[in-house]
Each structure stands twice: as structure tokens, then as C-alpha cells.
Amino acid sequence: MVPFRLPALLSAGALATIAALSLGGCASETSAAQNPETQAAATAAATAAAQSTASQLTSGLTGALGLPNLSSTSTGNLAGVLNYCVTNNLTSGGAASGILSTASQQPGLTGSSDYSAGQQGILQAISNQTSTSQQYSLSSLAEPLRRKVCSAVSSHLQGML
């Protein structure tokens, strides 16, 4: 068997599909695969295991205590990330647009490198697991988690303004 490496973050759906296909391929070589109930149970177990693995992989972003610590994230990066969120329809309602508009009026904010990184979906925050500064790519996350991050960024930025 040739070992392979998984990307750091995969959606639960992608991992479930991979696990189900892998398990299905293995099961097809055994007599248990002849029984549809056995194969369905094995696929369900593989899906549950894959979703658990996906949850563990994304915990690098969400951490044991929730989202990364935004307290040291610059206003520019938060505003840039919020711009990314609004542009990609990851926020609900018009509150995020209003917060972004207010933040964007600060001198020099939209010209900063932190803002540019945020516009690309790069959140610069402190990891709750390692207490070190990390860069998180929102585009690599499943949409529900991206929405959660966008909501947290919006709330934190509003509190800073």
C-alpha cells in the first residue's frame, strides 16, 4: 500500500466520500459485501468515522475553546476578512456591510497589508491550542465553519469600532 497525505483541512463530506469509497472497495472483495445490509452498515460506520476525523482536522481552526482568539487581530485584517465574507455571501443581513463601511472609513486601513490578506480570506489570529499567531485560510473551510468565522469576525470588529 502506498501512503498518502491528506490536506490539513477537508470538509466532512469529502472525507465521508473517501472513506465510503475506500471501505466499499475493500468490502467488495469479501463475502460480506454480498449482503447489502452489511455493506450499508459498513458505509454508515465509515461516514461517521470520516465526519469525526473531519471535525478533528478542523479543530486546528476552531480549537477546543471555539474560534481562534481575535483579540490581537488587527482592525485591518478583521475588516479585510469581513470584506471577504460580504463579497462571498457568508454573512446574513446588512449589519456586516454597515460594520465594514464604518471600519473602511479609518485612515489607511484599506491600504494595509493586513487588510489585503483579509480580503483574500486569510485570518491572522492567535490559536487557542498553541497560543501562537497563525494564518487561517477561510477558503479551505467548509461553508458552515466559514459562516461561523465570519460572524465572529463581524461581532469582534463591531466591538472594536
Side-chain angles (χ1 to χ4, degrees):
M1 174 180 274
V2 177
F4 64 97
R5 297 183 341 182
L6 291 175
L9 297 173
L10 290 175
S11 71
L15 283 173
T17 302
I18 291 168
L21 290 173
S22 296
L23 186 58
C26 294
S28 66
E29 297 174 11
T30 66
S31 61
Q34 304 301 325
N35 182 344
E37 292 172 0
T38 303
Q39 192 164 16
T43 301
T47 300
Q51 288 173 341
S52 174
T53 301
S55 175
Q56 291 169 356
L57 289 173
T58 58
S59 71
L61 175 64
T62 59
L65 302 174
L67 296 170
N69 184 340
L70 302 176
S71 64
S72 65
T73 303
S74 71
T75 304
N77 185 243
L78 290 170
V81 169
L82 189 56
N83 185 308
Y84 171 88
C85 294
V86 168
T87 301
N88 290 287
N89 299 316
L90 297 169
T91 59
S92 57
S97 295
I99 295 166
L100 180 59
S101 177
T102 301
S104 297
Q105 293 175 10
Q106 293 186 358
L109 184 121
T110 57
S112 72
S113 60
D114 287 349
Y115 183 83
S116 296
Q119 283 184 300
Q120 301 301 313
I122 304 297
L123 175 64
Q124 301 164 339
I126 301 293
S127 166
N128 284 327
Q129 292 178 333
T130 64
S131 298
T132 60
S133 181
Q134 300 286 324
Q135 291 191 357
Y136 302 97
S137 173
L138 272 64
S139 64
S140 67
L141 303 175
E143 187 173 329
L145 189 52
R146 278 187 288 179
R147 288 186 181 279
K148 186 175 180 180
V149 170
C150 289
S151 177
V153 165
S154 180
S155 296
H156 191 78
L157 184 58
Q158 183 178 22
M160 293 175 71
L161 300 176

PDB file of all heavy atoms in Angstrom, residues 1 15 19 30 42 61 65 67-68 74-76 79 81-82 84 92 94 97 125 130 132 134 145 150 154 156 159-160:
ATOM      1  N   MET A   1       0.846  -1.174   0.000  1.00  0.00           N
ATOM      2  CA  MET A   1       0.000   0.000   0.000  1.00  0.00           C
ATOM      3  C   MET A   1       0.892   1.238   0.000  1.00  0.00           C
ATOM      4  O   MET A   1       1.860   1.319   0.738  1.00  0.00           O
ATOM      5  CB  MET A   1      -0.915   0.000   1.216  1.00  0.00           C
ATOM      6  CG  MET A   1      -1.724   1.272   1.333  1.00  0.00           C
ATOM      7  SD  MET A   1      -2.798   1.288   2.774  1.00  0.00           S
ATOM      8  CE  MET A   1      -4.183   0.460   2.077  1.00  0.00           C
ATOM      9  N   LEU A  15     -14.382  13.791   3.239  1.00  0.00           N
ATOM     10  CA  LEU A  15     -13.814  12.673   3.976  1.00  0.00           C
ATOM     11  C   LEU A  15     -14.779  11.493   4.015  1.00  0.00           C
ATOM     12  O   LEU A  15     -14.368  10.342   3.909  1.00  0.00           O
ATOM     13  CB  LEU A  15     -13.465  13.100   5.403  1.00  0.00           C
ATOM     14  CG  LEU A  15     -12.192  13.930   5.523  1.00  0.00           C
ATOM     15  CD1 LEU A  15     -12.030  14.439   6.944  1.00  0.00           C
ATOM     16  CD2 LEU A  15     -10.981  13.138   5.115  1.00  0.00           C
ATOM     17  N   ALA A  19     -13.873   7.841   2.620  1.00  0.00           N
ATOM     18  CA  ALA A  19     -13.941   6.668   3.489  1.00  0.00           C
ATOM     19  C   ALA A  19     -14.931   5.648   2.954  1.00  0.00           C
ATOM     20  O   ALA A  19     -14.663   4.446   2.964  1.00  0.00           O
ATOM     21  CB  ALA A  19     -14.326   7.084   4.911  1.00  0.00           C
ATOM     22  N   THR A  30     -14.846  -9.106  -0.208  1.00  0.00           N
ATOM     23  CA  THR A  30     -15.171 -10.102   0.804  1.00  0.00           C
ATOM     24  C   THR A  30     -16.589 -10.589   0.598  1.00  0.00           C
ATOM     25  O   THR A  30     -17.392  -9.981  -0.092  1.00  0.00           O
ATOM     26  CB  THR A  30     -15.051  -9.501   2.222  1.00  0.00           C
ATOM     27  OG1 THR A  30     -16.061  -8.501   2.355  1.00  0.00           O
ATOM     28  CG2 THR A  30     -13.685  -8.897   2.452  1.00  0.00           C
ATOM     29  N   ALA A  42     -21.586  -0.850   7.024  1.00  0.00           N
ATOM     30  CA  ALA A  42     -20.167  -0.503   6.941  1.00  0.00           C
ATOM     31  C   ALA A  42     -19.980   0.902   6.374  1.00  0.00           C
ATOM     32  O   ALA A  42     -19.151   1.672   6.852  1.00  0.00           O
ATOM     33  CB  ALA A  42     -19.434  -1.525   6.080  1.00  0.00           C
ATOM     34  N   LEU A  61      -8.525  25.144  13.534  1.00  0.00           N
ATOM     35  CA  LEU A  61      -9.086  26.488  13.445  1.00  0.00           C
ATOM     36  C   LEU A  61      -9.998  26.763  14.620  1.00  0.00           C
ATOM     37  O   LEU A  61      -9.884  27.778  15.277  1.00  0.00           O
ATOM     38  CB  LEU A  61      -9.866  26.690  12.142  1.00  0.00           C
ATOM     39  CG  LEU A  61     -10.572  28.040  12.055  1.00  0.00           C
ATOM     40  CD1 LEU A  61      -9.549  29.161  12.047  1.00  0.00           C
ATOM     41  CD2 LEU A  61     -11.426  28.127  10.837  1.00  0.00           C
ATOM     42  N   LEU A  65     -11.615  25.578  22.517  1.00  0.00           N
ATOM     43  CA  LEU A  65     -12.438  26.619  23.131  1.00  0.00           C
ATOM     44  C   LEU A  65     -13.224  27.420  22.117  1.00  0.00           C
ATOM     45  O   LEU A  65     -13.736  28.483  22.421  1.00  0.00           O
ATOM     46  CB  LEU A  65     -11.531  27.559  23.940  1.00  0.00           C
ATOM     47  CG  LEU A  65     -10.706  26.882  25.033  1.00  0.00           C
ATOM     48  CD1 LEU A  65      -9.756  27.871  25.661  1.00  0.00           C
ATOM     49  CD2 LEU A  65     -11.614  26.262  26.069  1.00  0.00           C
ATOM     50  N   LEU A  67     -13.551  29.408  18.285  1.00  0.00           N
ATOM     51  CA  LEU A  67     -12.795  30.066  17.220  1.00  0.00           C
ATOM     52  C   LEU A  67     -11.474  30.602  17.743  1.00  0.00           C
ATOM     53  O   LEU A  67     -11.291  30.742  18.949  1.00  0.00           O
ATOM     54  CB  LEU A  67     -13.643  31.197  16.640  1.00  0.00           C
ATOM     55  CG  LEU A  67     -14.925  30.727  15.959  1.00  0.00           C
ATOM     56  CD1 LEU A  67     -15.808  31.913  15.630  1.00  0.00           C
ATOM     57  CD2 LEU A  67     -14.622  29.940  14.715  1.00  0.00           C
ATOM     58  N   PRO A  68     -10.554  30.935  16.826  1.00  0.00           N
ATOM     59  CA  PRO A  68      -9.274  31.491  17.277  1.00  0.00           C
ATOM     60  C   PRO A  68      -9.500  32.770  18.080  1.00  0.00           C
ATOM     61  O   PRO A  68     -10.521  33.444  17.949  1.00  0.00           O
ATOM     62  CB  PRO A  68      -8.533  31.812  15.985  1.00  0.00           C
ATOM     63  CG  PRO A  68      -9.238  31.100  14.915  1.00  0.00           C
ATOM     64  CD  PRO A  68     -10.632  30.863  15.378  1.00  0.00           C
ATOM     65  N   SER A  74      -5.506  42.501  13.953  1.00  0.00           N
ATOM     66  CA  SER A  74      -5.586  43.930  13.635  1.00  0.00           C
ATOM     67  C   SER A  74      -6.953  44.292  13.058  1.00  0.00           C
ATOM     68  O   SER A  74      -7.639  43.457  12.463  1.00  0.00           O
ATOM     69  CB  SER A  74      -4.494  44.314  12.630  1.00  0.00           C
ATOM     70  OG  SER A  74      -4.794  43.761  11.357  1.00  0.00           O
ATOM     71  N   THR A  75      -7.317  45.550  13.239  1.00  0.00           N
ATOM     72  CA  THR A  75      -8.565  46.059  12.673  1.00  0.00           C
ATOM     73  C   THR A  75      -8.555  45.882  11.162  1.00  0.00           C
ATOM     74  O   THR A  75      -9.564  45.520  10.557  1.00  0.00           O
ATOM     75  CB  THR A  75      -8.764  47.541  13.036  1.00  0.00           C
ATOM     76  OG1 THR A  75      -8.715  47.665  14.459  1.00  0.00           O
ATOM     77  CG2 THR A  75     -10.084  48.078  12.534  1.00  0.00           C
ATOM     78  N   GLY A  76      -7.391  46.109  10.553  1.00  0.00           N
ATOM     79  CA  GLY A  76      -7.267  45.968   9.104  1.00  0.00           C
ATOM     80  C   GLY A  76      -7.548  44.552   8.641  1.00  0.00           C
ATOM     81  O   GLY A  76      -8.266  44.335   7.661  1.00  0.00           O
ATOM     82  N   ALA A  79     -11.273  43.761   9.118  1.00  0.00           N
ATOM     83  CA  ALA A  79     -12.074  44.435   8.087  1.00  0.00           C
ATOM     84  C   ALA A  79     -11.893  43.743   6.742  1.00  0.00           C
ATOM     85  O   ALA A  79     -12.859  43.565   5.987  1.00  0.00           O
ATOM     86  CB  ALA A  79     -11.690  45.908   7.994  1.00  0.00           C
ATOM     87  N   VAL A  81     -11.117  40.557   6.229  1.00  0.00           N
ATOM     88  CA  VAL A  81     -11.826  39.279   6.299  1.00  0.00           C
ATOM     89  C   VAL A  81     -13.326  39.519   6.177  1.00  0.00           C
ATOM     90  O   VAL A  81     -14.027  38.783   5.466  1.00  0.00           O
ATOM     91  CB  VAL A  81     -11.487  38.509   7.598  1.00  0.00           C
ATOM     92  CG1 VAL A  81     -12.422  37.321   7.804  1.00  0.00           C
ATOM     93  CG2 VAL A  81     -10.041  38.041   7.576  1.00  0.00           C
ATOM     94  N   LEU A  82     -13.821  40.558   6.834  1.00  0.00           N
ATOM     95  CA  LEU A  82     -15.250  40.857   6.730  1.00  0.00           C
ATOM     96  C   LEU A  82     -15.613  41.217   5.292  1.00  0.00           C
ATOM     97  O   LEU A  82     -16.673  40.829   4.801  1.00  0.00           O
ATOM     98  CB  LEU A  82     -15.646  41.972   7.697  1.00  0.00           C
ATOM     99  CG  LEU A  82     -17.141  42.217   7.844  1.00  0.00           C
ATOM    100  CD1 LEU A  82     -17.874  40.943   8.257  1.00  0.00           C
ATOM    101  CD2 LEU A  82     -17.400  43.336   8.843  1.00  0.00           C
ATOM    102  N   TYR A  84     -14.141  39.976   2.673  1.00  0.00           N
ATOM    103  CA  TYR A  84     -14.169  38.648   2.040  1.00  0.00           C
ATOM    104  C   TYR A  84     -15.513  37.975   2.306  1.00  0.00           C
ATOM    105  O   TYR A  84     -16.133  37.398   1.409  1.00  0.00           O
ATOM    106  CB  TYR A  84     -13.021  37.789   2.584  1.00  0.00           C
ATOM    107  CG  TYR A  84     -13.065  36.342   2.164  1.00  0.00           C
ATOM    108  CD1 TYR A  84     -12.469  35.920   0.978  1.00  0.00           C
ATOM    109  CD2 TYR A  84     -13.692  35.380   2.958  1.00  0.00           C
ATOM    110  CE1 TYR A  84     -12.501  34.585   0.594  1.00  0.00           C
ATOM    111  CE2 TYR A  84     -13.731  34.049   2.584  1.00  0.00           C
ATOM    112  CZ  TYR A  84     -13.134  33.655   1.395  1.00  0.00           C
ATOM    113  OH  TYR A  84     -13.171  32.328   1.028  1.00  0.00           O
ATOM    114  N   SER A  92     -25.188  37.148   6.955  1.00  0.00           N
ATOM    115  CA  SER A  92     -26.626  37.323   6.758  1.00  0.00           C
ATOM    116  C   SER A  92     -27.018  38.727   7.212  1.00  0.00           C
ATOM    117  O   SER A  92     -26.450  39.265   8.165  1.00  0.00           O
ATOM    118  CB  SER A  92     -27.412  36.263   7.520  1.00  0.00           C
ATOM    119  OG  SER A  92     -27.084  36.300   8.894  1.00  0.00           O
ATOM    120  N   GLY A  94     -27.789  42.934   6.701  1.00  0.00           N
ATOM    121  CA  GLY A  94     -26.959  44.048   6.255  1.00  0.00           C
ATOM    122  C   GLY A  94     -26.020  44.587   7.312  1.00  0.00           C
ATOM    123  O   GLY A  94     -25.261  45.516   7.063  1.00  0.00           O
ATOM    124  N   SER A  97     -22.272  44.634   6.370  1.00  0.00           N
ATOM    125  CA  SER A  97     -21.931  45.688   5.404  1.00  0.00           C
ATOM    126  C   SER A  97     -21.784  47.029   6.097  1.00  0.00           C
ATOM    127  O   SER A  97     -20.894  47.812   5.768  1.00  0.00           O
ATOM    128  CB  SER A  97     -22.991  45.775   4.309  1.00  0.00           C
ATOM    129  OG  SER A  97     -23.007  44.590   3.547  1.00  0.00           O
ATOM    130  N   ALA A 125      -4.748  35.304  13.395  1.00  0.00           N
ATOM    131  CA  ALA A 125      -5.260  35.253  14.762  1.00  0.00           C
ATOM    132  C   ALA A 125      -4.380  34.351  15.620  1.00  0.00           C
ATOM    133  O   ALA A 125      -3.490  33.669  15.121  1.00  0.00           O
ATOM    134  CB  ALA A 125      -6.698  34.741  14.758  1.00  0.00           C
ATOM    135  N   THR A 130      -2.313  26.504  20.518  1.00  0.00           N
ATOM    136  CA  THR A 130      -0.864  26.697  20.661  1.00  0.00           C
ATOM    137  C   THR A 130      -0.489  28.063  21.222  1.00  0.00           C
ATOM    138  O   THR A 130       0.672  28.301  21.515  1.00  0.00           O
ATOM    139  CB  THR A 130      -0.160  26.529  19.304  1.00  0.00           C
ATOM    140  OG1 THR A 130      -0.616  27.564  18.417  1.00  0.00           O
ATOM    141  CG2 THR A 130      -0.431  25.151  18.707  1.00  0.00           C
ATOM    142  N   THR A 132      -0.091  30.698  19.672  1.00  0.00           N
ATOM    143  CA  THR A 132       0.820  31.377  18.754  1.00  0.00           C
ATOM    144  C   THR A 132       0.016  31.996  17.620  1.00  0.00           C
ATOM    145  O   THR A 132      -1.096  31.578  17.333  1.00  0.00           O
ATOM    146  CB  THR A 132       1.851  30.397  18.154  1.00  0.00           C
ATOM    147  OG1 THR A 132       1.160  29.372  17.439  1.00  0.00           O
ATOM    148  CG2 THR A 132       2.730  29.781  19.232  1.00  0.00           C
ATOM    149  N   GLN A 134      -1.266  32.567  14.059  1.00  0.00           N
ATOM    150  CA  GLN A 134      -1.464  31.671  12.930  1.00  0.00           C
ATOM    151  C   GLN A 134      -2.186  32.412  11.816  1.00  0.00           C
ATOM    152  O   GLN A 134      -2.848  33.409  12.062  1.00  0.00           O
ATOM    153  CB  GLN A 134      -2.329  30.478  13.347  1.00  0.00           C
ATOM    154  CG  GLN A 134      -1.764  29.640  14.466  1.00  0.00           C
ATOM    155  CD  GLN A 134      -0.606  28.783  14.035  1.00  0.00           C
ATOM    156  OE1 GLN A 134      -0.585  28.280  12.920  1.00  0.00           O
ATOM    157  NE2 GLN A 134       0.358  28.612  14.903  1.00  0.00           N
ATOM    158  N   LEU A 145     -18.524  26.434   8.668  1.00  0.00           N
ATOM    159  CA  LEU A 145     -17.452  26.947   9.520  1.00  0.00           C
ATOM    160  C   LEU A 145     -17.018  28.340   9.053  1.00  0.00           C
ATOM    161  O   LEU A 145     -16.740  29.214   9.868  1.00  0.00           O
ATOM    162  CB  LEU A 145     -16.273  25.979   9.537  1.00  0.00           C
ATOM    163  CG  LEU A 145     -15.166  26.284  10.545  1.00  0.00           C
ATOM    164  CD1 LEU A 145     -15.724  26.471  11.949  1.00  0.00           C
ATOM    165  CD2 LEU A 145     -14.149  25.155  10.548  1.00  0.00           C
ATOM    166  N   CYS A 150     -16.976  34.170   9.995  1.00  0.00           N
ATOM    167  CA  CYS A 150     -17.419  35.494   9.544  1.00  0.00           C
ATOM    168  C   CYS A 150     -18.271  36.184  10.590  1.00  0.00           C
ATOM    169  O   CYS A 150     -18.122  37.386  10.840  1.00  0.00           O
ATOM    170  CB  CYS A 150     -18.180  35.384   8.218  1.00  0.00           C
ATOM    171  SG  CYS A 150     -17.103  34.966   6.823  1.00  0.00           S
ATOM    172  N   SER A 154     -17.228  39.648  12.433  1.00  0.00           N
ATOM    173  CA  SER A 154     -18.144  40.785  12.395  1.00  0.00           C
ATOM    174  C   SER A 154     -18.424  41.308  13.805  1.00  0.00           C
ATOM    175  O   SER A 154     -18.347  42.514  14.067  1.00  0.00           O
ATOM    176  CB  SER A 154     -19.444  40.374  11.699  1.00  0.00           C
ATOM    177  OG  SER A 154     -20.337  41.458  11.650  1.00  0.00           O
ATOM    178  N   HIS A 156     -16.637  40.844  16.548  1.00  0.00           N
ATOM    179  CA  HIS A 156     -15.416  41.377  17.182  1.00  0.00           C
ATOM    180  C   HIS A 156     -15.065  42.753  16.614  1.00  0.00           C
ATOM    181  O   HIS A 156     -14.707  43.663  17.358  1.00  0.00           O
ATOM    182  CB  HIS A 156     -14.251  40.403  17.002  1.00  0.00           C
ATOM    183  CG  HIS A 156     -13.065  40.759  17.829  1.00  0.00           C
ATOM    184  ND1 HIS A 156     -13.006  40.492  19.181  1.00  0.00           N
ATOM    185  CD2 HIS A 156     -11.904  41.387  17.522  1.00  0.00           C
ATOM    186  CE1 HIS A 156     -11.853  40.931  19.666  1.00  0.00           C
ATOM    187  NE2 HIS A 156     -11.165  41.477  18.669  1.00  0.00           N
ATOM    188  N   GLY A 159     -17.278  45.444  17.983  1.00  0.00           N
ATOM    189  CA  GLY A 159     -16.868  45.825  19.329  1.00  0.00           C
ATOM    190  C   GLY A 159     -15.643  46.715  19.361  1.00  0.00           C
ATOM    191  O   GLY A 159     -15.438  47.470  20.323  1.00  0.00           O
ATOM    192  N   MET A 160     -14.815  46.645  18.335  1.00  0.00           N
ATOM    193  CA  MET A 160     -13.599  47.463  18.274  1.00  0.00           C
ATOM    194  C   MET A 160     -13.879  48.872  17.781  1.00  0.00           C
ATOM    195  O   MET A 160     -13.083  49.788  18.028  1.00  0.00           O
ATOM    196  CB  MET A 160     -12.560  46.802  17.349  1.00  0.00           C
ATOM    197  CG  MET A 160     -12.007  45.509  17.878  1.00  0.00           C
ATOM    198  SD  MET A 160     -10.896  44.703  16.700  1.00  0.00           S
ATOM    199  CE  MET A 160      -9.488  45.791  16.754  1.00  0.00           C
TER     200      MET A 160
END
